[in-house]
């Protein structure tokens, strides 16, 4: 890796903390990803992106800034990338997948807050996330109570914070509200950039994001093969990188690895053995670098064949209709697309259970592991009805609750091994 010390200093990172984080991450990556057998060659690009996630990619973002682009950081798939690109800005997902500076975090947040929220506070307080520090604006969205109340504290720490309100139902009134919110977001970006978004800009933004989602969808579908041509860990990594990388380059690389996977499928070559137990993961998002549960699952010899998650199919599966020829029409299409996201903060949320059933069938899963982050009420509450409905269809379910610590590794492994044996 080149020397990025000056860049990190300019961004105000804390060197000691940041070096400690990079060391830990590097070791975890080596032991989790680089020890896998039968990895597709196309993974070398994604390994490279990861190795340069705090280096070259940040340098690129700073070069974009120098050329006049604004960088918009966010925590949720409800923040529309189409609109950000149309405004001539770049979207990045912010770090929220590892514990950091927990003692400091617990001075400002209750202990029983989910790990994802504590994580982004820790990255801010420990000054270790270059994506957060390079962002010209950070968007926080009112989804669960944990996020929206924690943003009241978080916005005191970041000068450039923008709060987006979101509905919790899908009624016509809720749709109207989301549309108003997205319109306000357009106005905010136009004010920041001093430029009006045109129909062409929005069509281009939609085309870029649709192409990215189509490539990820293609990758998902290829995992239906037996043997699965790519491990769940590698597929998750690609989905995580979708939030960091340049979208056009990323799309090309995902399509390239899909070409390779198609050949592997023809030759019945897989990342795991044929007839390996096939697991679908469903639940809370696994933000980078949260690889704990997938690595436990795949170390049993099982293969993860899909993620019903925002970093996975829930976040990426629907395309935005780009056929309208007015800004109003395109905005309507964007609202319709985003209202299809079946996050557990919505009530009722039958679409999510239906989608889990669909995914289990489509990817020939032998069982579903429901992953809930401790203290995440929306997903943990919903996990009971998910389990009931899946069991009616004879789909085996294991409900797990965990956090980002390593303390429950032994207990989780025991439960996952027992589950994999029976499916
Ligand atoms: S659209 S899933 S990315 S909100 S884990 S912070 S829900 S207490 S992350 Fe999410 Fe958007 Fe929904 Fe997707 Fe709260 Fe639960 Fe924590 Fe969560």
């Amino acid at each position: 890796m080149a020397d990025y010390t000056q860049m990190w200093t300019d961004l105000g990172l804390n060197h000691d903390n940041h070096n400690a984080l990079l060391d830990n991450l590097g070791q975890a990556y080596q032991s989790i990803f680089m020890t896998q057998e039968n990895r597709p060659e196309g993974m070398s690009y994604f390994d490279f992106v990861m190795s340069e996630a705090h280096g070259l990619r940040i340098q690129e973002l700073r070069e974009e800034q120098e050329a006049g682009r604004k960088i918009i950081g966010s925590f949720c798939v409800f923040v529309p990338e189409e609109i950000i690109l149309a405004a001539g800005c770049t979207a990045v997902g912010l770090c929220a997948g590892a514990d950091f500076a927990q003692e400091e975090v617990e001075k400002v947040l209750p202990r029983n807050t989910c790990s994802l929220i504590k994580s982004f506070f820790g990255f801010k307080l420990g000054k270790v996330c270059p994506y957060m520090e390079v962002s010209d604006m950070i968007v926080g969205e009112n989804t669960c109570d944990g996020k929206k109340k924690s943003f009241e504290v978080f916005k005191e720490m970041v000068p450039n914070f923008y709060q987006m309100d979101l509905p919790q139902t899908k009624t016509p009134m809720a749709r109207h509200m989301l549309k108003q919110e997205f319109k306000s977001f357009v106005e905010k970006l136009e004010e920041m950039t001093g430029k009006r978004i045109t129909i062409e800009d929005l069509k281009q933004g939609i085309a870029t994001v649709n192409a990215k989602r189509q490539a990820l969808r293609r990758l998902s579908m290829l995992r239906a093969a037996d043997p699965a041509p790519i491990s769940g860990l590698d597929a998750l990594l690609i989905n995580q990188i979708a939030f960091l990388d340049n979208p056009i380059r990323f799309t090309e690389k995902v399509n390239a690895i899909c070409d390779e996977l198609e050949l592997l499928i023809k030759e019945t070559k897989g990342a795991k053995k044929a007839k390996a137990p096939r697991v679908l993961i469903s639940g809370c998002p696994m933000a980078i670098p949260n690889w704990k549960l997938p690595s436990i699952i795949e170390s049993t010899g099982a293969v993860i064949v899909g993620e019903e998650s925002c970093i996975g199919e829930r976040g990426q599966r629907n395309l935005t209709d780009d056929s309208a020829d007015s800004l109003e029409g395109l905005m309507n299409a964007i609202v319709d697309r985003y209202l299809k996201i079946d996050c557990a903060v919505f009530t009722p949320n039958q679409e999510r259970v239906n989608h889990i059933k669909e995914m289990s069938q489509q990817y020939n899963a032998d069982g579903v592991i429901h992953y809930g982050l401790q203290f995440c009420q929306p997903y943990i509450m919903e996990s009971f009805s998910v389990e009931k409905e899946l069991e009616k269809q004879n789909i085996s379910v294991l409900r797990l609750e965990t956090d980002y610590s390593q303390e429950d590794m032994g207990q989780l492994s025991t439960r996952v091994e027992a589950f994999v044996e029976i499916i």
Side-chain angles (χ1 to χ4, degrees):
M1 209 202 225
D3 185 0
Y4 296 108
T5 315
Q6 187 57 48
M7 178 176 79
W8 294 331
T9 305
D10 295 345
L11 287 171
L13 298 189
N14 175 314
H15 285 294
D16 291 344
N17 287 349
H18 188 238
N19 288 340
L21 176 79
L22 289 188
D23 281 352
N24 281 342
L25 269 182
Q27 282 169 23
Y29 197 80
Q30 281 297 325
S31 70
I32 295 173
F33 286 91
M34 304 312 281
T35 52
Q36 296 179 99
E37 288 172 1
N38 306 324
R39 295 182 85 208
E41 281 173 21
M43 282 312 295
S44 58
Y45 171 73
F46 301 100
D47 290 335
F48 173 71
V49 175
M50 272 308 292
S51 69
E52 290 287 345
H54 283 212
L56 192 55
R57 182 62 186 138
I58 302 299
Q59 189 175 299
E60 284 182 348
L61 293 174
R62 281 165 57 95
E63 284 162 7
E64 288 185 17
Q65 268 174 329
E66 277 160 26
R69 282 180 87 87
K70 302 284 182 202
I71 311 299
I72 312 297
S74 71
F75 299 104
C76 177
V77 295
F78 255 100
V79 179
E81 188 176 0
E82 295 89 334
I83 294 179
I84 294 175
L85 292 177
C89 304
T90 296
V92 290
L94 299 175
C95 305
D99 285 340
F100 208 86
Q102 289 300 285
E103 264 180 40
E104 293 303 302
V105 173
E106 287 178 13
K107 287 181 192 157
V108 294
L109 287 181
R111 201 152 187 266
N112 55 354
T113 304
C114 89
S115 290
L116 192 144
I117 296 172
K118 278 185 177 172
S119 172
F120 66 77
F121 270 74
F123 277 85
K124 181 68 202 170
L125 291 166
K127 296 201 169 97
V128 289
C129 175
Y131 292 90
M132 227 176 254
E133 305 308 329
V134 83
S135 293
D136 294 291
M137 181 167 86
I138 292 181
V139 185
E141 65 322 307
N142 289 344
T143 50
C144 62
D145 285 353
K147 268 192 181 166
K148 75 178 171 244
K149 295 305 286 183
S150 71
F151 287 145
E152 291 174 7
V153 183
F154 192 67
K155 68 177 159 209
E156 300 299 319
M157 302 176 190
V158 282
N160 46 0
F161 189 77
Y162 177 87
Q163 199 151 1
M164 184 183 276
D165 205 9
L166 290 182
Q168 315 255 298
T169 65
K170 295 186 177 172
T171 59
M173 191 68 120
R175 185 186 180 283
H176 176 72
M177 176 201 156
L178 186 63
K179 189 167 169 195
Q180 292 311 114
E181 277 299 320
F182 282 1
K183 280 188 165 176
S184 303
F185 188 51
V186 166
E187 282 165 19
K188 177 70 191 175
L189 292 172
E190 288 180 338
E191 180 195 306
M192 272 182 89
T193 59
K195 175 182 163 291
R196 300 290 296 223
I197 294 177
T198 64
I199 297 179
E200 290 68 36
D201 294 331
L202 203 46
K203 284 213 176 221
Q204 187 53 56
I206 293 172
T208 302
V209 180
N210 276 350
K212 174 159 91 166
R213 292 186 182 134
Q214 266 165 329
L216 286 168
R217 180 86 184 132
R218 186 178 165 207
L219 173 68
S220 298
M221 302 299 285
L222 294 172
R223 295 165 73 190
D226 185 25
I230 184 166
S231 69
L233 273 165
D234 280 339
L236 172 66
L237 184 75
I238 294 174
N239 275 282
Q240 291 174 329
I241 288 175
F243 292 86
L244 306 180
D245 202 3
N246 172 293
I248 295 174
R249 180 177 61 204
F250 173 83
T251 302
E252 278 169 21
K253 296 295 181 182
V254 176
N255 279 318
I257 200 170
C258 287
D259 292 343
E260 184 188 348
L261 299 184
E262 280 170 0
L263 291 177
L264 292 173
I265 292 170
K266 268 195 201 138
E267 295 166 10
T268 47
K269 287 187 180 155
K272 301 274 171 181
K273 285 193 279 193
K275 309 275 177 249
R278 301 169 67 86
V279 172
L280 181 76
I281 295 190
S282 168
C284 293
M286 290 182 176
I288 209 164
N290 177 9
W291 305 307
K292 178 167 111 173
L293 184 60
S295 67
I296 290 176
I297 297 172
E298 294 207 323
S299 68
T300 66
V303 60
I304 300 163
V305 292
E307 296 79 27
E308 189 281 315
S309 164
C310 282
I311 300 182
E313 223 172 284
R314 186 189 316 126
Q316 304 290 354
R317 79 184 199 276
N318 296 305
L319 301 184
T320 301
D321 181 359
D322 64 353
S323 59
D325 49 17
S326 66
L327 272 175
E328 189 68 12
L330 292 173
M331 285 299 287
N332 279 331
I334 292 174
V335 171
D336 290 339
R337 187 265 161 202
Y338 279 81
L339 256 197
K340 286 186 194 144
I341 298 173
D342 41 14
C343 169
V345 299
F346 285 92
T347 183
N349 197 26
Q350 183 62 36
E351 298 96 311
R352 177 164 170 247
V353 186
N354 297 345
H355 182 223
I356 302 171
K357 287 186 212 160
E358 239 174 64
M359 284 184 75
S360 313
Q361 269 188 351
Q362 211 163 25
Y363 304 128
N364 305 309
D366 299 307
V368 174
I369 295 188
H370 191 283
Y371 163 76
L373 274 177
Q374 240 168 25
F375 312 120
C376 169
Q377 287 196 344
Y379 281 92
I380 292 173
M381 286 223 180
E382 207 164 271
S383 70
F384 287 82
S385 52
V386 166
E387 180 180 40
K388 243 197 236 155
E389 288 229 19
L390 294 183
E391 284 183 344
K392 272 192 224 154
Q393 312 253 310
N394 294 323
I395 302 172
S396 306
V397 183
L398 174 67
R399 282 191 296 113
L400 293 177
E401 260 181 63
T402 182
D403 56 17
Y404 291 172
S405 76
Q406 304 296 304
E407 281 159 23
D408 60 353
M409 290 282 285
Q411 195 207 15
L412 280 179
S413 301
T414 311
R415 293 191 62 198
V416 169
E417 272 164 27
F419 181 70
V420 166
E421 259 173 41
I422 59 152
I423 58 176

